[in-house]
Amino acid sequence: MPHYAYETDPAEIYRQSFSIVRQEADLSHLPEMLRPVAVRLIHSCGMTDLPQDLVWSKDVVSAAQAAFSKGAPVFCDVEMVAHGIIKNRLPEASKVVCTLNDPSVPDLATKLNTTRSAAAVELWRDQLDGAIAAIGNAPTALFHLLEMVAAGGPKPAVVLGFPVGFVGAAESKDALAENPFGIPFLAIKGRRGGSAMAAAAVNALAAGLPEEA
């Protein structure tokens, strides 16, 4: 059997990983409070150029921390985002919710003439006010969330916009960045994104970095 030389200490893996990120990524243009979030995001995808494409509202970190201090729920567009969130690092009252597989969603999507991901956002209404929304897959979910707010619906405390893909992803994040509703946000411009990034953003905003614990 071959023997490979590799690090096996989880704490040391984290330490080295975050050290490499800080060495190779340019975080200088980011506000100090946002840098741990950027480090987490880079760690989730291995792309050290990621900070150059980040867009944010100046109050996103403070808004997220205030929401978590109140036990706000975290709504996720897909199960992959929900499963990537480190739940034991969230405040006890903060629940992670994904409604994509609710039995009512397929019929609702047909009724609304939209995707299941967008229809699932409709089921967030009752608890969306002051909540955190983490979208890591579906541009239609992010567009529909913004449409709900525009129509007078409840406003989340923070939207983390990381939908990925070639159809609507960049445009949905542009719409979030330009939102006139005063919603604090963090997003990455362009086609890049994904569930791992959305979950990483939640983890960083809720609990910082492992080395800081």
Side-chain angles (χ1 to χ4, degrees):
M1 294 290 290
H3 177 73
Y4 301 100
Y6 57 95
E7 182 60 63
T8 59
D9 179 356
E12 182 60 16
I13 291 170
Y14 269 124
R15 190 198 67 77
Q16 289 187 31
S17 294
F18 295 135
S19 175
I20 292 169
V21 168
R22 290 191 175 96
Q23 290 172 26
E24 297 187 6
D26 181 5
L27 308 176
S28 61
H29 67 292
L30 300 177
E32 190 69 34
M33 291 182 69
L34 198 57
R35 292 178 187 180
V37 184
V39 170
R40 269 276 197 189
L41 289 170
I42 294 167
H43 182 253
S44 75
C45 66
M47 302 174 189
T48 55
D49 65 326
L50 195 74
Q52 307 313 310
D53 286 336
L54 287 178
V55 288
W56 63 91
S57 64
K58 63 181 180 180
D59 55 345
V60 63
V61 175
S62 58
Q65 291 175 344
F68 278 121
S69 72
K70 298 174 183 176
V74 180
F75 286 98
C76 308
D77 63 326
V78 291
E79 294 287 353
M80 287 180 67
V81 176
H83 287 295
I85 294 172
I86 306 172
K87 298 176 181 61
N88 64 6
R89 300 296 298 277
L90 298 181
E92 186 175 352
S94 292
K95 305 302 180 186
V96 177
V97 181
C98 178
T99 55
L100 183 61
N101 294 317
D102 187 282
S104 67
V105 165
D107 287 344
L108 185 57
T110 299
K111 178 182 177 182
L112 297 175
N113 192 30
T114 191
T115 65
R116 289 175 57 241
S117 297
V121 173
E122 281 287 331
L123 303 184
W124 301 358
R125 282 185 183 270
D126 289 348
Q127 301 178 69
L128 186 58
D129 187 31
I132 293 169
I135 297 179
N137 182 70
T140 56
L142 181 50
F143 274 128
H144 192 70
L145 176 59
L146 294 173
E147 289 171 344
M148 283 171 48
V149 175
K155 189 168 75 172
V158 172
V159 175
L160 306 173
F162 294 89
V164 61
F166 298 93
V167 179
E171 294 83 356
S172 68
K173 291 175 284 189
D174 287 344
L176 174 62
E178 297 165 4
N179 89 84
F181 318 116
I183 303 173
F185 69 89
L186 174 66
I188 180 170
K189 295 184 292 184
R191 296 170 171 177
R192 291 191 288 182
S195 298
M197 289 190 198
V202 174
N203 293 335
L205 290 167
L209 297 172
E211 61 190 13
E212 298 170 340

